[in-house]
Amino acid sequence: MSTELSNTAGPRPDGAVGGPPEPTEPPSRSGPPAWLSRARRALRRAAPALLGYAAVRAVGVLVIVVQGSRRGEPGLHRLGVLWDARLYQLIAERGYSGVAPIPGPHGLYEMYAFFPAYPALTNLVWRLTPLSINASALLVAWAASLVAAWGVFAVVARLYRHRAGVIAAVLWGITPVAVVESMAYSEPLFAAFAFWAVYAVLARRWIWAGGLTVLAGLTRPTGSAVAMTVAVSAAWEVVHRFRGRSERSSPGAGPAWWRPVLGGLLAPLGFVGYIAWVGVQKGRWDAYFKIQEAWDSRFDFGRNTYQSFSALLSSSGTVWLADVVVAIVLIGSVLLLGVSVIQRQPLPLVLFSLGILVLALGDAAYFNCRARFLLPAFGLLLPIAMSLTRLRSRASLVLVLSGAALTSAVYGGYLAFVYPNAP
């Protein structure tokens, strides 16, 4: 609903009816712009969520630092170079063509498998600051994780009030693989774009939703889930408008039907555009998918997931804790999606959770990475967050969240220093 300010002057306070008006002070122009005032109010409102999120992630990073000091390897350095983190930094330093393919069991690992937004931002920070490439990558990831946590709060507070939003943001910081939110990985940046795209859809800011989805699609292949969410939600909105059932009084729901259409058309451009660019670089339209096959990543409709579950249940040897946790996370996510539907979460939120879950279950990638793939599905945390809002005692809530944060931090240390595969 747009708000108009009237320019009609009221009666003079001295009651005079003639003569020149009394001299008045010229209006001050030193005040902050309106958008800045709104941003400050929004930041103050989100401050408890951001502080809570920062606190639990600080615990996780502190555990890594302590473990690193005991093992003779700086913990922050470990977070900045672990597994794919170093590959992102090589792209940021040298560009895609400047990094030689790496031999792997299924072919050559080419850097075109990694989407460009995160290395591009890392390169920008690296060039504009005195930071090393490693520190620049961490700075981008940490800043993006705070923006993403703000997005979690903004969505949940809009739907279920302030307290639920704060709890949901903290919960996102203490998921089993929350250590990834503090690593030099692309997940935090993707989450920042994706979460605010979902918020824009809920607020019916369709152009913003489409633009943010383009950026999400340039960050990770799971940008396809965001694009699906925005496109389907936009189509649903257009259908309702033409049926005359749109709530015209809600923000952004004016008569301009072209806005959701444009937002929906913009949504897939980032993901599709990068895949097309790789095809041009490599000389074949399906080059990106062939490159992904070398990384053992393709959509097989859950066959590999089923085989991994079967092998895990029938194994008579040693089973890694991480594999058990991934299995529990996958099963729990399916159940939480069902609860989300039963609780009648808004369509965009359910679509986003469903899209991320389908990609995590249906991809043939390494089983141990699937909990990380589910990290953006923050909507699955809402049933838990809503349950925690019912705790009447603040001390009880703090105790529960603190215990979960410590458990997540210790498990993060295990993933960083003990588990031999990528989280």
Side-chain angles (χ1 to χ4, degrees):
M1 179 187 301
S2 61
T3 302
E4 296 181 357
L5 297 178
S6 173
N7 292 322
T8 304
R12 287 176 51 183
D14 58 0
V17 294
E22 293 292 329
T24 57
E25 293 292 331
S28 174
R29 298 183 180 179
S30 59
W35 67 267
L36 183 57
S37 298
R38 289 195 298 269
R40 287 176 177 174
R41 288 195 298 270
L43 182 58
R44 283 196 297 268
R45 188 165 184 263
L50 297 180
L51 290 173
Y53 174 80
V56 296
R57 290 309 321 134
V59 172
V61 172
L62 180 60
V63 168
I64 299 291
V65 170
V66 171
Q67 283 189 296
S69 65
R70 291 178 177 178
R71 294 172 179 268
E73 180 179 0
L76 293 183
H77 179 265
R78 182 74 171 170
L79 290 174
V81 299
L82 197 62
W83 297 101
D84 292 349
R86 184 54 188 155
L87 299 180
Y88 279 117
Q89 291 161 41
L90 287 175
I91 298 170
E93 284 181 304
R94 308 174 190 175
Y96 286 100
S97 60
V99 184
I102 304 171
H106 305 285
L108 292 176
Y109 290 158
E110 294 193 56
M111 298 303 104
Y112 290 99
F114 297 96
F115 280 55
Y118 179 54
L121 277 178
T122 298
N123 176 275
L124 181 64
V125 173
W126 178 49
R127 291 183 181 278
L128 296 180
T129 69
L131 297 175
S132 66
I133 191 70
N134 178 281
S136 298
L138 278 178
L139 178 61
V140 172
W142 288 7
S145 70
L146 280 172
V147 175
W150 192 350
V152 173
F153 166 79
V155 170
V156 180
R158 179 183 181 89
L159 297 174
Y160 304 108
R161 298 185 180 181
H162 187 275
R163 178 179 171 87
V166 173
I167 294 173
V170 174
L171 285 177
W172 190 66
I174 56 177
T175 61
V177 292
V179 64
V180 176
E181 299 168 23
S182 300
M183 293 171 57
Y185 266 47
S186 62
E187 272 80 6
L189 185 63
F190 170 77
F193 292 139
F195 295 174
W196 282 102
V198 172
Y199 178 85
V201 170
L202 292 171
R204 292 187 173 91
R205 306 298 186 189
W206 297 105
I207 310 303
W208 276 102
L212 288 166
T213 305
V214 169
L215 295 174
L218 289 171
T219 308
R220 287 192 59 79
T222 39
S224 57
V226 193
M228 180 272 296
T229 300
V230 174
V232 173
S233 300
W236 186 260
E237 174 75 7
V238 171
V239 169
H240 272 243
R241 289 189 181 202
F242 276 103
R243 287 181 178 177
R245 293 189 294 176
S246 177
E247 297 179 3
R248 302 294 184 179
S249 61
S250 58
W257 58 269
W258 59 269
R259 291 181 182 275
V261 171
L262 181 56
L265 292 175
L266 283 173
L269 294 184
F271 173 76
V272 174
Y274 178 69
I275 290 176
W277 179 79
V278 173
V280 171
Q281 297 299 308
K282 306 300 289 186
R284 54 182 298 173
W285 71 269
D286 61 346
Y288 172 79
F289 301 101
K290 292 297 182 182
I291 290 170
Q292 284 284 48
E293 287 181 5
W295 293 83
D296 201 24
S297 178
R298 64 190 183 282
F299 194 80
D300 68 351
F301 299 93
R303 180 182 177 183
N304 183 273
T305 303
Y306 172 77
Q307 292 174 345
S308 298
F309 266 104
S310 298
L312 186 63
L313 293 174
S314 61
S315 175
S316 59
T318 301
V319 175
W320 284 99
L321 172 62
D323 295 331
V324 176
V325 170
V326 170
I328 293 173
V329 168
L330 291 176
I331 295 172
S333 296
V334 173
L335 295 175
L336 286 171
L337 179 64
V339 175
S340 300
V341 173
I342 293 171
Q343 291 183 342
R344 300 178 66 85
Q345 285 185 16
L347 177 65
L349 208 52
V350 173
L351 285 174
F352 181 56
S353 297
L354 176 63
I356 295 294
L357 182 58
V358 167
L359 292 177
L361 291 173
D363 195 276
Y366 306 108
F367 184 74
N368 48 282
C369 295
R370 297 177 193 275
R372 170 165 62 89
F373 294 164
L374 279 169
L375 197 58
F378 74 97
L380 301 179
L381 298 173
L382 294 195
I384 303 173
M386 297 305 294
S387 298
L388 291 176
T389 59
R390 299 187 183 97
L391 291 177
R392 297 183 178 180
S393 169
R394 180 174 296 182
S396 299
L397 178 61
V398 171
L399 182 63
V400 170
L401 293 178
S402 298
L406 184 59
T407 302
S408 174
V410 172
Y411 182 67
Y414 162 82
L415 290 177
F417 285 103
V418 179
Y419 187 57
N421 297 318

